[in-house]
Amino acid sequence: MNLHSLFGALAAVTIAMIGLAVGHRFRPQPVEDGPEPEPHSVLLTIGSGILSGFVLLTGFLVATGWAARTTHVLPPLGLYAADVCAGIAVLLYPALAGLPVTPRHVTAVAFFSALVGYTLTTAFQLRP
């Protein structure tokens, strides 16, 4: 069992849950007998773009980190910083998009953020 990756997953879950809690705390309360507030339609496309960027960067870093063990060609450190920024954006996106804090949503965000943290930490560990 890889303990570093498990700690990375735990850190990612913590970031996502704090983001949801803070987003819920500062979100305006809905008007009584009014329509349920919905996120702006532009936010729907931003999430898929952020996630695509994170997946591409992480996949590239995993592949080149693994290949660097034989080729000794390392990816630039700036790509790792960009991947961390993309990972944090992916973790905070549900809170920014206005996802309601229900047990179902919290569970889904927790499991997804654990996957994000685990893969991001594994990409860092593959760098020789």
Side-chain angles (χ1 to χ4, degrees):
M1 196 70 128
N2 189 348
L3 287 179
H4 289 98
S5 293
L6 290 178
F7 286 130
L10 182 63
V13 170
T14 303
I15 290 170
M17 292 302 114
I18 288 173
L20 273 179
V22 169
H24 180 70
R25 171 72 174 94
F26 290 110
R27 192 172 301 130
Q29 295 299 323
V31 180
E32 200 170 306
D33 296 334
E36 243 348 91
E38 293 183 14
H40 195 276
S41 60
V42 172
L43 287 174
L44 299 175
T45 58
I46 292 174
S48 61
I50 293 171
L51 185 59
S52 297
F54 173 73
V55 168
L56 285 171
L57 275 171
T58 305
F60 176 76
L61 293 177
V62 166
T64 55
W66 186 263
R69 297 178 184 278
T70 56
T71 63
H72 304 291
V73 177
L74 299 174
L77 290 176
L79 287 179
Y80 288 95
D83 197 25
V84 169
C85 290
I88 290 172
V90 166
L91 294 174
L92 294 180
Y93 176 76
L96 295 174
L99 190 71
V101 180
T102 63
R104 181 180 71 162
H105 291 120
V106 167
T107 303
V109 168
F111 280 114
F112 178 74
S113 59
L115 179 63
V116 167
Y118 192 88
T119 22
L120 186 61
T121 309
T122 302
F124 273 84
Q125 287 181 333
L126 286 175
R127 183 181 173 93

